[in-house]
Amino acid sequence: MANVRTMDDLRREEAGRGVRPTPNPWAGGAAPAQGAPAPNFTPAGGYTPIPDQQSMGGVGAGDVYIDACGETIPVSSLSPWQLPMAMCCPCCIGDPCSENRRNWYVNQMKTFIGIISIIQIFIFIIEVSLSGWVGILDVPSDVLYVMGGKVASNIAAGEYWRLITPIMLHAGIFHLVINVFTQCMFGIQLEREWGGSQIAIIYVVAGVYGNVLSVLFAPYALSIGCSGSVFGLFGAQVAYIVGMWRQLGDLQKKMLLLSLGLSFLFIFAFSFGVGVDMSAHLGGFLAGLVMGMGFFANKWDPNNWWAKAGPYVAFGTVAATMLIAVIFFWHNKELGYVEGS
């Protein structure tokens, strides 16, 4: 990977030739200053590249850059096999411990996704402490039940908090690593593009919505995990790209299609394992997609009716269907509710 030349490498080369270097506004994962000039730039920043309106109005003169975990790398310096890697594991492109990347790693700990990932790790430590070291690989069901796993009969009895708490629980170390790695590599860059408040709303609502569908379609399963939330972020990203599509140049479109293809392959592999709650994944994705259509309705053509009505339709749909589901759950004997419980 030593042959990968970052924007900072190019700046040093320019300085060596006596050329005044162009500042790198994204060094260490920082956002560009307001009004700062921007090259054609695609922040991969984790799981997938996300178009940024300020810097991606179309491919013009010069190179196209990828923000790969704090290092800004020209696409022209990547080999054909390095480009897909930049889409799914950008920290592996170039020096993973460069100064810019060390600063980037620290900055990510301060994001909503970074903070909730740390909390999930601490909660998993509590799970293991309650179940013994054997729980590292497979946390016993009784521990997950006590800590708030999704149990349809309990939710029907009024324990609606069990629609939220499963987001923070994991069944074992591999389950935890996969979910935390995915949401960090995928969600942190989305948070940088969209802001912490939007990410938090999508993450939590998609997770709850996934658990709602899990109650409906897998009522006898004890379900836990933040997969529904992660799928919600992916659904919102799809909505964002749909809204941005008309503003992108050909190269950005090709890179985004490549990224989405890799994401769908990952999701396909991730969704059909033994014990995987497909209904939670589907519910999270649908909620994220619909909320994304609402949040990013302003990216659509202003003459399209969705640009104005989209937020009301999208958020109203999510809220209404969730309310109907919660009312349906109340003391529903089909979900295992027992009178007097």
Side-chain angles (χ1 to χ4, degrees), residues 48-338:
T48 51
I50 311 301
D52 177 84
Q53 281 197 93
Q54 177 186 7
S55 53
M56 289 185 63
V59 179
D63 208 340
V64 175
Y65 295 85
I66 290 178
D67 175 16
C69 298
E71 286 290 5
T72 311
I73 299 175
V75 172
S76 60
S77 71
L78 300 176
S79 66
W81 65 271
Q82 286 175 329
L83 185 58
M85 182 174 290
M87 301 298 106
C88 60
C89 192
C91 294
C92 297
I93 301 296
D95 182 3
C97 298
S98 66
E99 181 180 357
N100 283 340
R101 281 187 169 153
R102 291 198 301 271
N103 293 333
W104 186 88
Y105 299 144
V106 172
N107 288 335
Q108 309 323 303
M109 305 294 285
K110 305 173 185 177
T111 63
F112 168 80
I113 293 294
I115 292 171
I116 202 166
S117 297
I118 293 172
I119 294 174
Q120 287 167 342
I121 292 171
F122 276 113
I123 289 177
F124 180 72
I125 293 173
I126 296 174
E127 292 178 34
V128 173
S129 68
L130 292 175
S131 57
W133 289 110
V134 67
I136 292 180
L137 296 178
D138 187 13
V139 179
S141 297
D142 58 341
V143 173
L144 296 175
Y145 172 83
V146 169
M147 295 194 66
K150 184 229 83 182
V151 179
S153 59
N154 289 64
I155 293 172
E159 296 182 8
Y160 289 122
W161 50 271
R162 288 184 181 270
L163 294 173
I164 301 175
T165 49
I167 299 172
M168 308 304 295
L169 304 175
H170 290 87
I173 186 65
F174 296 113
H175 187 206
L176 174 73
V177 169
I178 290 173
N179 277 350
V180 169
F181 173 81
T182 304
Q183 71 185 17
C184 285
M185 295 299 291
F186 182 41
I188 284 176
Q189 182 57 37
L190 292 177
E191 183 171 346
R192 177 180 146 185
E193 292 295 310
W194 303 344
S197 59
Q198 285 190 357
I199 284 292
I201 292 171
I202 294 171
Y203 186 93
V204 174
V205 174
V208 172
Y209 208 91
N211 288 326
V212 166
L213 258 68
S214 179
V215 171
L216 291 173
F217 296 104
Y220 302 109
L222 172 65
S223 300
I224 41 86
C226 62
S227 302
S229 298
V230 175
F231 275 70
L233 296 179
F234 179 72
Q237 188 210 10
V238 172
Y240 183 73
I241 292 173
V242 169
M244 287 288 296
W245 191 256
R246 64 189 178 87
Q247 305 177 36
L248 303 180
D250 290 339
L251 181 56
Q252 283 88 353
K253 289 179 179 178
K254 291 177 182 177
M255 293 174 67
L256 287 170
L257 288 175
L258 172 63
S259 168
L260 288 176
L262 292 172
S263 299
F264 274 118
L265 285 176
F266 178 83
I267 285 177
F268 184 83
F270 192 33
S271 295
F272 293 94
V274 177
V276 172
D277 191 342
M278 270 292 296
S279 54
H281 290 186
L282 178 61
F285 178 82
L286 291 176
L289 179 65
V290 174
M291 284 191 294
M293 296 287 282
F295 274 126
F296 308 120
N298 61 335
K299 308 297 183 187
W300 288 58
D301 186 333
N303 296 322
N304 191 304
W305 70 274
W306 187 263
K308 294 182 179 179
Y312 302 101
V313 176
F315 301 138
T317 298
V318 172
T321 53
M322 193 175 297
L323 178 61
I324 292 171
V326 169
I327 294 174
F328 174 77
F329 293 162
W330 181 253
H331 290 189
N332 190 325
K333 295 181 179 179
E334 294 180 5
L335 301 177
Y337 173 76
V338 178

